[in-house]
Amino acid sequence: MSQWLDNAIFYEIYPQSFKDTDGDGIGNINGITEKLDYIKSVGCNAIWLNPCFESPFGDAGYDVSDYYRVAPRYGTNEDLKRLFEEVHKRDMHILLDLVPGHTSVEHKWFKESMKAEKNEFTDRYVWTDSIWEEPEGMGCIRGISDRDGSCAVNFFSHQPALNYGFYKPDPQKKWQQGTEDKGPLSTLNELINIMRFWLGMGCDGFRVDMAGSLVKNDADGKGTIKLWQKVRSFLDREFPDAAMVSEWGEPDKSLQGGFHMDFLLHFGPSHYNDLFRCEEPFFSSRGKGDVSEFVKKYTENYEKSERKGLICIPSGNHDMDRLSRSLHGDELKIAFAFLLTMPGAPFIYYGDEIGMNYVENLTSVEGGYNRTGSRSPMQWDKSLNAGFSTAAPEKLYIPLDGSSNRPDAASQLADKSSLLNEIKRLIVIRQSHKALQSKGEIEFVFAEKNSYPLAYIRSSENERLLIVINPSSEKKTFNFSADLKQKIYSFGGEILSDGGVITAEPSCAAIYALSGSYS
Ligand code: NOJ
């Protein structure tokens, strides 16, 4: 694993909504380059850039029509190359978003694949061999091709599934190909070509969309793991420093497949939503949440992953409601104290560092639907369009948050008690304590059902830090004897250790160095 991942803190950029430098109402690559110093000043040293490739934008760019070309609305390949260079000049790193599972229906491979005559792309997608047969459990595109057959889709109905084969093809269904058949192997080969192209141009790796579902009929993920292991050998040979993070949500599998990092997701078995996005989130000051199931699952994943890779907990992303839809004020600061003291690489979704709102009641833009409210333009300052663009407000890609007290980066930078400044403080602390970084050990010391606070110890060779997180508006205690040597950080209140009991004041988060033993 590349050494820079040991203390990486990622910032996710949704390019449409970050910064527009040409006044067309939509963000672009040069806008990102312009704002690199801001990202660095927050303390982030790595970027995940959402898809920026040519696309008809039926799913905001997750429907690629040319993997080798930057979408003209974002700029040119040259602009992207310059972005890579500017990122590296600042000692930062950048991952592109790789969408290997499906293309847009507009992709030339799909157009060729729809033809009745056999050609190079006939087997690039998952097709049944009769229009009257649908690929079971997958959804499909039917009746628009000269070719006889239905084509499986991966997500929306305009995203045909690329063919990496079936783990165990059904012998009754001749159209199901094996992972070692010619069609699936040529798809994989093309995927490797795409990766080689961008890595050769200077990107530092990829966030991989739907990484766990490429091979079909593969409930245990065995076929998909094997496929990624092949990609890993290519990377080991040609780009050993490339970093890979998967949208998989099952670290025990993805890390076996050679990924360095996996996300905990808002779907699947992670219990991530218990923390931030449910009726009674753990981080609400109401104090009615439950962190125990999350911790149980996290610990299970942590042990299974045997320190081979990193489990990443995002503040949010372009698919989830903004954190500030359910948490407010100090709750957000306490949530970040947790996010920035956990192992793995933290991911901050653009705008979460200033507590941007989820914009309610927006009409869907480019396949966003309810996700659109989390994708509104970044709020930089109090100038026109919050500094996002010089276009007329009605021309903006997605309308801005219209609330009168919408947060912006410039005001928060100037306000010592802002969320942004609290996050900056936390990042400085994380970066100056190895125990808090990606690979520092974690041991949970208090994470009981329906109880507060949450407490854990992070440690490295020469340091042990106790972290106590009490989002609830009441004072909380738990049994634990420890010698609190030195306060490293506190927000909202203090921690006391007395007679085997730790007391945490209401709505507080704290980090203390421990001396001696603890129990
Ligand atoms: C996950 C992406 O994050 C999401 O935005 C997209 O719509 C689907 N995958 C399909 O690619």
Side-chain angles (χ1 to χ4, degrees), residues 14 48 50 59-60 62-63 97 99 102 154-156 159 207 209-210 247 267 317-319 367 371 375:
Y14 188 70
W48 155 27
N50 287 117
D59 184 14
Y62 283 96
D63 48 332
D97 210 317
V99 191
H102 46 265
N154 246 10
F155 195 67
F156 288 150
Q159 287 162 314
R207 172 269 184 186
D209 190 65
M210 298 177 71
E247 186 197 34
F267 55 87
N317 71 24
H318 59 290
D319 294 331
R371 305 175 294 181
R375 299 173 173 187

Side-chain angles (χ1 to χ4, degrees), residues 179-200:
T179 52
E180 299 302 317
D181 286 349
K182 210 167 144 220
L185 287 179
S186 101
T187 312
L188 176 59
N189 194 36
E190 193 54 36
L191 175 67
I192 287 176
N193 286 338
I194 295 164
M195 295 174 77
R196 184 183 284 123
F197 179 82
W198 293 110
L199 289 167

Side-chain angles (χ1 to χ4, degrees), residues 267-496:
F267 55 87
S270 73
H271 284 274
Y272 167 83
N273 282 349
D274 297 4
L275 304 179
F276 313 111
R277 295 172 179 81
C278 61
E279 217 175 298
E280 289 296 349
F282 178 73
F283 283 99
S284 157
S285 62
R286 288 188 297 273
K288 292 193 178 135
D290 179 25
V291 77
S292 65
E293 294 296 324
F294 167 82
V295 169
K296 204 163 123 206
K297 196 70 208 171
Y298 182 90
T299 313
E300 211 178 290
N301 279 326
Y302 187 72
E303 316 249 285
K304 275 201 233 155
S305 66
E306 296 165 1
R307 294 168 187 77
K308 281 200 210 91
L310 310 178
I311 301 171
C312 299
I313 313 179
S315 70
N317 71 24
H318 59 290
D319 294 331
M320 316 179 199
D321 287 359
R322 286 270 183 196
L323 206 51
S324 61
R325 198 176 194 200
S326 42
L327 304 179
H328 309 98
D330 289 353
E331 294 170 339
L332 286 169
K333 294 179 182 168
I334 296 170
F336 271 99
F338 163 78
L339 287 165
L340 292 166
T341 53
M342 284 293 282
F347 277 71
I348 301 179
Y349 181 48
Y350 86 94
D352 277 357
E353 77 278 18
I354 57 170
M356 263 174 66
N357 291 320
Y358 176 88
V359 184
E360 306 285 344
N361 303 320
L362 290 178
T363 305
S364 175
V365 174
E366 295 187 341
Y369 300 95
N370 62 316
R371 305 175 294 181
T372 307
S374 300
R375 299 173 173 187
S376 63
M378 175 68 183
Q379 294 146 204
W380 293 105
D381 53 38
K382 297 213 179 304
S383 66
L384 174 74
N385 297 324
F388 164 66
S389 166
T390 54
E394 64 279 7
K395 287 261 167 66
L396 299 189
Y397 169 74
I398 290 176
L400 268 159
D401 174 12
S403 53
S404 56
N405 59 350
R406 69 176 172 225
D408 67 82
S411 311
Q412 289 217 3
L413 279 174
D415 171 5
K416 271 204 184 123
S417 66
S418 66
L419 175 61
L420 178 54
N421 278 318
E422 202 58 46
I423 289 175
K424 286 172 75 163
R425 270 194 279 283
L426 279 160
I427 292 182
V428 169
I429 289 170
R430 182 178 175 101
Q431 296 302 40
S432 47
H433 293 269
K434 208 165 160 223
L436 291 176
Q437 295 171 14
S438 311
K439 290 189 190 150
E441 302 277 319
I442 186 166
E443 182 192 341
F444 290 94
V445 295
F446 191 80
E448 297 296 308
K449 191 145 197 71
N450 299 324
S451 297
Y452 287 72
L454 166 68
Y456 44 97
I457 290 176
R458 299 288 319 275
S459 50
S460 60
E461 304 86 58
N462 42 23
E463 199 174 32
R464 276 173 313 138
L465 303 176
L466 172 69
I467 292 112
V468 180
I469 307 271
N470 180 21
S472 120
S473 59
E474 286 172 16
K475 193 190 261 189
K476 296 286 173 182
T477 58
F478 64 102
N479 292 334
F480 187 65
S481 39
D483 198 1
L484 306 184
K485 186 167 71 171
Q486 189 202 349
K487 181 168 94 177
I488 308 283
Y489 170 83
S490 75
F491 170 78
E494 301 297 322
I495 305 300
L496 283 175

Side-chain angles (χ1 to χ4, degrees), residues 47 64 81 127 131 157 208 213 248 293 317 344 361-362 414 496 514:
I47 291 171
V64 178
K81 188 167 182 224
W127 287 91
I131 188 73
S157 51
V208 179
S213 60
W248 196 318
E293 294 296 324
N317 71 24
N361 303 320
L362 290 178
L496 283 175
L514 296 180

